[in-house]
Amino acid sequence: MQTLAVVSPITVVQPQGHLNAANAAEFRSKLTAAVAANPNTTVLVDMKQLDSMDSAGLMTLVSALKLAQRQNQRFSLCSLSPSIRIIFELTQLNKVFEIFESRTAFEATL
């Protein structure tokens, strides 16, 4: 469902397809491991290949963000589709997460 790449000092997590109640627990476990593995690493969730997301998927991202914040770790999102971006805007989580248009835009901030 997702791939994980570590390009020091960035860990990139790339969910694919659908992130919903059926697979949120598996994704949460992988995302938590990515955040906890190296507190000195920035975590970037590249959502380019994510087609849809429900509230369970959203809560997984919120949970990982909280963990990263407790560790004073940077946690960012990029490449949100318009339909997923709307979810963040409606919940006002676009004000909580650091969101970039693309991975290139994120990398420009390093």
Side-chain angles (χ1 to χ4, degrees):
M1 180 192 117
Q2 59 271 342
T3 57
L4 177 68
V6 179
V7 182
S8 189
I10 304 166
T11 299
V12 179
V13 179
Q14 295 179 281
Q16 299 172 356
H18 308 283
L19 181 52
N20 53 37
N23 58 19
E26 176 189 350
F27 182 64
R28 175 179 291 121
S29 186
K30 290 184 179 181
L31 193 53
T32 299
V35 171
N38 186 351
N40 299 319
T41 300
T42 294
V43 175
L44 175 66
V45 180
D46 185 342
M47 302 174 83
K48 185 177 183 178
Q49 297 178 0
L50 190 64
D51 299 324
S52 67
M53 180 174 64
D54 70 4
S55 60
L58 189 61
M59 289 313 298
T60 296
L61 292 171
V62 169
S63 193
L65 174 65
K66 286 181 179 180
L67 175 60
Q69 288 174 334
R70 283 194 301 271
Q71 298 180 167
N72 292 320
Q73 186 175 19
R74 187 175 181 188
F75 185 92
S76 305
L77 309 175
C78 74
S79 306
L80 282 67
S81 69
S83 61
I84 292 175
R85 183 172 290 278
I86 284 178
I87 294 169
F88 282 85
E89 290 171 359
L90 290 173
T91 58
Q92 296 190 355
L93 287 171
N94 60 317
K95 297 176 183 176
V96 176
F97 282 91
E98 184 178 43
I99 301 174
F100 295 91
E101 289 298 316
S102 64
R103 192 185 292 195
T104 305
F106 167 78
E107 290 169 352
T109 68
L110 299 177

CSV table of all heavy atoms in Angstrom, one decimal, residues 20-59:
chain,number,residue,atom,x,y,z
A,20,ASN,N,-8.1,4.3,4.3
A,20,ASN,CA,-9.4,4.3,5.0
A,20,ASN,C,-9.4,3.3,6.2
A,20,ASN,O,-8.4,2.8,6.6
A,20,ASN,CB,-10.5,3.8,4.0
A,20,ASN,CG,-10.2,2.5,3.3
A,20,ASN,OD1,-9.6,1.6,3.9
A,20,ASN,ND2,-10.5,2.5,2.0
A,21,ALA,N,-10.6,3.1,6.8
A,21,ALA,CA,-10.7,2.3,8.0
A,21,ALA,C,-10.1,0.9,7.8
A,21,ALA,O,-9.6,0.3,8.7
A,21,ALA,CB,-12.1,2.3,8.5
A,22,ALA,N,-10.2,0.4,6.6
A,22,ALA,CA,-9.8,-1.0,6.3
A,22,ALA,C,-8.2,-1.1,6.4
A,22,ALA,O,-7.7,-2.2,6.8
A,22,ALA,CB,-10.2,-1.4,4.9
A,23,ASN,N,-7.5,-0.1,6.1
A,23,ASN,CA,-6.0,-0.2,6.2
A,23,ASN,C,-5.4,0.9,7.0
A,23,ASN,O,-4.1,1.0,7.0
A,23,ASN,CB,-5.5,-0.1,4.7
A,23,ASN,CG,-5.9,1.1,4.0
A,23,ASN,OD1,-6.2,2.1,4.6
A,23,ASN,ND2,-5.8,1.1,2.7
A,24,ALA,N,-6.1,1.7,7.7
A,24,ALA,CA,-5.5,2.8,8.5
A,24,ALA,C,-4.6,2.2,9.6
A,24,ALA,O,-3.6,2.8,9.9
A,24,ALA,CB,-6.6,3.6,9.1
A,25,ALA,N,-5.0,1.1,10.3
A,25,ALA,CA,-4.1,0.6,11.4
A,25,ALA,C,-2.8,0.2,10.8
A,25,ALA,O,-1.7,0.5,11.5
A,25,ALA,CB,-4.8,-0.6,12.0
A,26,GLU,N,-2.7,-0.5,9.7
A,26,GLU,CA,-1.5,-0.9,9.1
A,26,GLU,C,-0.6,0.4,8.7
A,26,GLU,O,0.6,0.4,9.0
A,26,GLU,CB,-1.7,-1.7,7.8
A,26,GLU,CG,-0.5,-2.0,7.0
A,26,GLU,CD,-0.8,-2.7,5.7
A,26,GLU,OE1,-1.9,-3.0,5.4
A,26,GLU,OE2,0.2,-2.8,4.9
A,27,PHE,N,-1.3,1.4,8.1
A,27,PHE,CA,-0.6,2.6,7.8
A,27,PHE,C,-0.1,3.3,9.0
A,27,PHE,O,1.0,3.9,9.0
A,27,PHE,CB,-1.5,3.5,6.9
A,27,PHE,CG,-0.8,4.8,6.5
A,27,PHE,CD1,0.3,4.7,5.6
A,27,PHE,CD2,-1.2,6.0,6.9
A,27,PHE,CE1,0.9,5.9,5.2
A,27,PHE,CE2,-0.6,7.2,6.5
A,27,PHE,CZ,0.5,7.1,5.6
A,28,ARG,N,-0.9,3.4,10.1
A,28,ARG,CA,-0.5,4.0,11.3
A,28,ARG,C,0.7,3.4,11.9
A,28,ARG,O,1.7,4.1,12.3
A,28,ARG,CB,-1.7,3.9,12.4
A,28,ARG,CG,-1.2,4.5,13.7
A,28,ARG,CD,-2.4,4.4,14.8
A,28,ARG,NE,-3.4,5.4,14.4
A,28,ARG,CZ,-4.7,5.0,14.2
A,28,ARG,NH1,-5.0,3.8,14.3
A,28,ARG,NH2,-5.6,5.9,13.9
A,29,SER,N,0.8,2.1,11.8
A,29,SER,CA,2.0,1.4,12.4
A,29,SER,C,3.2,1.7,11.6
A,29,SER,O,4.3,2.0,12.1
A,29,SER,CB,1.6,0.0,12.2
A,29,SER,OG,2.0,-1.0,12.5
A,30,LYS,N,3.1,1.8,10.3
A,30,LYS,CA,4.3,2.1,9.4
A,30,LYS,C,4.7,3.6,9.6
A,30,LYS,O,5.9,3.9,9.6
A,30,LYS,CB,4.0,1.8,8.0
A,30,LYS,CG,3.9,0.3,7.7
A,30,LYS,CD,3.7,-0.1,6.3
A,30,LYS,CE,3.7,-1.6,6.2
A,30,LYS,NZ,3.6,-2.1,4.8
A,31,LEU,N,3.7,4.4,9.7
A,31,LEU,CA,4.0,5.9,9.8
A,31,LEU,C,4.6,6.2,11.2
A,31,LEU,O,5.5,6.9,11.3
A,31,LEU,CB,2.7,6.7,9.6
A,31,LEU,CG,2.8,8.2,9.4
A,31,LEU,CD1,3.8,8.5,8.3
A,31,LEU,CD2,1.4,8.8,9.1
A,32,THR,N,4.0,5.5,12.2
A,32,THR,CA,4.6,5.7,13.6
A,32,THR,C,6.0,5.2,13.7
A,32,THR,O,6.9,5.9,14.3
A,32,THR,CB,3.7,4.9,14.6
A,32,THR,OG1,2.4,5.5,14.6
A,32,THR,CG2,4.3,5.1,16.0
A,33,ALA,N,6.3,4.1,13.0
A,33,ALA,CA,7.7,3.5,13.0
A,33,ALA,C,8.6,4.5,12.3
A,33,ALA,O,9.7,4.7,12.7
A,33,ALA,CB,7.7,2.2,12.3
A,34,ALA,N,8.1,5.1,11.2
A,34,ALA,CA,8.9,6.1,10.4
A,34,ALA,C,9.2,7.3,11.3
A,34,ALA,O,10.4,7.8,11.3
A,34,ALA,CB,8.2,6.5,9.2
A,35,VAL,N,8.3,7.8,12.0
A,35,VAL,CA,8.5,8.9,12.9
A,35,VAL,C,9.4,8.6,14.1
A,35,VAL,O,10.3,9.3,14.4
A,35,VAL,CB,7.1,9.5,13.4
A,35,VAL,CG1,7.3,10.6,14.5
A,35,VAL,CG2,6.3,10.1,12.2
A,36,ALA,N,9.2,7.5,14.7
A,36,ALA,CA,9.9,7.1,15.9
A,36,ALA,C,11.3,6.6,15.6
A,36,ALA,O,12.2,6.6,16.4
A,36,ALA,CB,9.1,6.0,16.6
A,37,ALA,N,11.6,6.1,14.4
A,37,ALA,CA,12.8,5.5,14.0
A,37,ALA,C,14.0,6.4,14.2
A,37,ALA,O,15.0,6.0,14.7
A,37,ALA,CB,12.8,5.0,12.6
A,38,ASN,N,13.9,7.6,13.8
A,38,ASN,CA,15.0,8.6,13.9
A,38,ASN,C,14.5,9.9,14.2
A,38,ASN,O,14.0,10.6,13.3
A,38,ASN,CB,15.9,8.5,12.7
A,38,ASN,CG,17.1,9.4,12.8
A,38,ASN,OD1,17.3,10.1,13.8
A,38,ASN,ND2,18.0,9.3,11.9
A,39,PRO,N,14.5,10.4,15.5
A,39,PRO,CA,13.9,11.7,15.8
A,39,PRO,C,14.6,12.8,15.1
A,39,PRO,O,14.1,13.9,15.1
A,39,PRO,CB,14.1,11.7,17.3
A,39,PRO,CG,14.4,10.4,17.8
A,39,PRO,CD,14.9,9.6,16.6
A,40,ASN,N,15.8,12.6,14.6
A,40,ASN,CA,16.5,13.7,13.9
A,40,ASN,C,16.2,13.8,12.4
A,40,ASN,O,16.8,14.6,11.7
A,40,ASN,CB,18.0,13.5,14.1
A,40,ASN,CG,18.4,13.5,15.5
A,40,ASN,OD1,18.0,14.3,16.3
A,40,ASN,ND2,19.3,12.6,15.9
A,41,THR,N,15.2,13.0,12.0
A,41,THR,CA,14.9,13.0,10.6
A,41,THR,C,13.6,13.7,10.4
A,41,THR,O,12.7,13.6,11.2
A,41,THR,CB,14.7,11.5,10.1
A,41,THR,OG1,15.9,10.8,10.3
A,41,THR,CG2,14.3,11.4,8.7
A,42,THR,N,13.5,14.4,9.3
A,42,THR,CA,12.2,15.0,8.9
A,42,THR,C,11.4,14.0,8.2
A,42,THR,O,11.9,13.2,7.4
A,42,THR,CB,12.5,16.2,7.9
A,42,THR,OG1,13.2,17.2,8.6
A,42,THR,CG2,11.2,16.8,7.3
A,43,VAL,N,10.1,13.9,8.5
A,43,VAL,CA,9.2,13.0,7.8
A,43,VAL,C,8.3,13.8,6.8
A,43,VAL,O,7.7,14.7,7.2
A,43,VAL,CB,8.3,12.2,8.9
A,43,VAL,CG1,7.3,11.3,8.2
A,43,VAL,CG2,9.2,11.4,9.8
A,44,LEU,N,8.3,13.3,5.6
A,44,LEU,CA,7.5,13.8,4.6
A,44,LEU,C,6.5,12.8,4.1
A,44,LEU,O,7.0,11.7,3.7
A,44,LEU,CB,8.3,14.3,3.4
A,44,LEU,CG,7.6,14.9,2.2
A,44,LEU,CD1,6.8,16.1,2.5
A,44,LEU,CD2,8.5,15.1,1.0
A,45,VAL,N,5.2,13.1,4.1
A,45,VAL,CA,4.2,12.1,3.5
A,45,VAL,C,3.9,12.7,2.2
A,45,VAL,O,3.2,13.7,2.0
A,45,VAL,CB,3.0,12.0,4.5
A,45,VAL,CG1,2.0,11.1,3.8
A,45,VAL,CG2,3.4,11.6,5.9
A,46,ASP,N,4.3,12.0,1.1
A,46,ASP,CA,4.1,12.3,-0.2
A,46,ASP,C,2.8,11.7,-0.7
A,46,ASP,O,2.7,10.4,-0.8
A,46,ASP,CB,5.2,11.9,-1.1
A,46,ASP,CG,5.1,12.4,-2.6
A,46,ASP,OD1,4.0,12.7,-3.0
A,46,ASP,OD2,6.1,12.4,-3.3
A,47,MET,N,1.7,12.4,-0.9
A,47,MET,CA,0.4,11.9,-1.1
A,47,MET,C,0.0,11.9,-2.6
A,47,MET,O,-1.1,11.8,-3.0
A,47,MET,CB,-0.6,12.7,-0.3
A,47,MET,CG,-0.3,12.6,1.2
A,47,MET,SD,-1.3,13.6,2.2
A,47,MET,CE,-2.7,12.5,2.4
A,48,LYS,N,1.1,11.9,-3.4
A,48,LYS,CA,0.9,12.0,-4.9
A,48,LYS,C,0.0,10.8,-5.4
A,48,LYS,O,-0.8,11.0,-6.3
A,48,LYS,CB,2.2,12.1,-5.6
A,48,LYS,CG,2.1,12.2,-7.1
A,48,LYS,CD,3.5,12.4,-7.7
A,48,LYS,CE,3.5,12.6,-9.2
A,48,LYS,NZ,4.8,12.8,-9.7
A,49,GLN,N,0.2,9.6,-4.9
A,49,GLN,CA,-0.4,8.4,-5.4
A,49,GLN,C,-1.6,8.0,-4.5
A,49,GLN,O,-2.1,6.9,-4.7
A,49,GLN,CB,0.6,7.3,-5.5
A,49,GLN,CG,1.7,7.6,-6.5
A,49,GLN,CD,2.7,6.5,-6.6
A,49,GLN,OE1,2.6,5.5,-5.9
A,49,GLN,NE2,3.7,6.7,-7.4
A,50,LEU,N,-2.1,8.9,-3.7
A,50,LEU,CA,-3.2,8.6,-2.8
A,50,LEU,C,-4.5,9.1,-3.5
A,50,LEU,O,-4.6,10.3,-3.8
A,50,LEU,CB,-3.1,9.3,-1.4
A,50,LEU,CG,-4.1,8.9,-0.4
A,50,LEU,CD1,-3.9,7.4,0.0
A,50,LEU,CD2,-3.9,9.8,0.9
A,51,ASP,N,-5.4,8.2,-3.7
A,51,ASP,CA,-6.7,8.5,-4.5
A,51,ASP,C,-7.7,9.0,-3.5
A,51,ASP,O,-8.5,9.9,-3.9
A,51,ASP,CB,-7.2,7.2,-5.2
A,51,ASP,CG,-6.2,6.7,-6.2
A,51,ASP,OD1,-5.5,7.5,-6.9
A,51,ASP,OD2,-6.1,5.5,-6.4
A,52,SER,N,-7.8,8.5,-2.3
A,52,SER,CA,-8.9,8.9,-1.4
A,52,SER,C,-8.5,8.6,0.0
A,52,SER,O,-7.6,7.8,0.3
A,52,SER,CB,-10.2,8.2,-1.7
A,52,SER,OG,-10.1,6.8,-1.4
A,53,MET,N,-9.2,9.3,0.9
A,53,MET,CA,-8.9,9.2,2.3
A,53,MET,C,-10.1,9.5,3.1
A,53,MET,O,-10.9,10.4,2.8
A,53,MET,CB,-7.8,10.2,2.7
A,53,MET,CG,-7.4,10.1,4.2
A,53,MET,SD,-5.9,11.2,4.5
A,53,MET,CE,-6.6,12.8,4.2
A,54,ASP,N,-10.4,8.6,4.2
A,54,ASP,CA,-11.5,8.9,5.0
A,54,ASP,C,-11.0,9.4,6.4
A,54,ASP,O,-9.9,9.7,6.6
A,54,ASP,CB,-12.4,7.7,5.1
A,54,ASP,CG,-11.8,6.5,5.9
A,54,ASP,OD1,-10.7,6.7,6.5
A,54,ASP,OD2,-12.4,5.5,6.0
A,55,SER,N,-12.0,9.5,7.3
A,55,SER,CA,-11.6,10.1,8.6
A,55,SER,C,-10.6,9.2,9.4
A,55,SER,O,-9.8,9.8,10.1
A,55,SER,CB,-12.9,10.3,9.5
A,55,SER,OG,-13.5,9.0,9.7
A,56,ALA,N,-10.6,7.9,9.2
A,56,ALA,CA,-9.6,7.1,9.8
A,56,ALA,C,-8.2,7.4,9.3
A,56,ALA,O,-7.2,7.4,10.1
A,56,ALA,CB,-10.0,5.6,9.6
A,57,GLY,N,-8.1,7.6,8.0
A,57,GLY,CA,-6.8,8.0,7.4
A,57,GLY,C,-6.4,9.3,7.9
A,57,GLY,O,-5.2,9.5,8.2
A,58,LEU,N,-7.3,10.3,8.0
A,58,LEU,CA,-7.0,11.6,8.5
A,58,LEU,C,-6.5,11.5,10.0
A,58,LEU,O,-5.5,12.2,10.3
A,58,LEU,CB,-8.2,12.5,8.4
A,58,LEU,CG,-8.0,14.0,8.7
A,58,LEU,CD1,-7.0,14.6,7.7
A,58,LEU,CD2,-9.3,14.7,8.6
A,59,MET,N,-7.1,10.7,10.8
A,59,MET,CA,-6.7,10.6,12.2
A,59,MET,C,-5.3,9.9,12.3
A,59,MET,O,-4.6,10.2,13.2
A,59,MET,CB,-7.8,9.8,13.0
A,59,MET,CG,-9.1,10.6,13.2
A,59,MET,SD,-8.8,12.3,13.8
A,59,MET,CE,-8.0,12.0,15.3
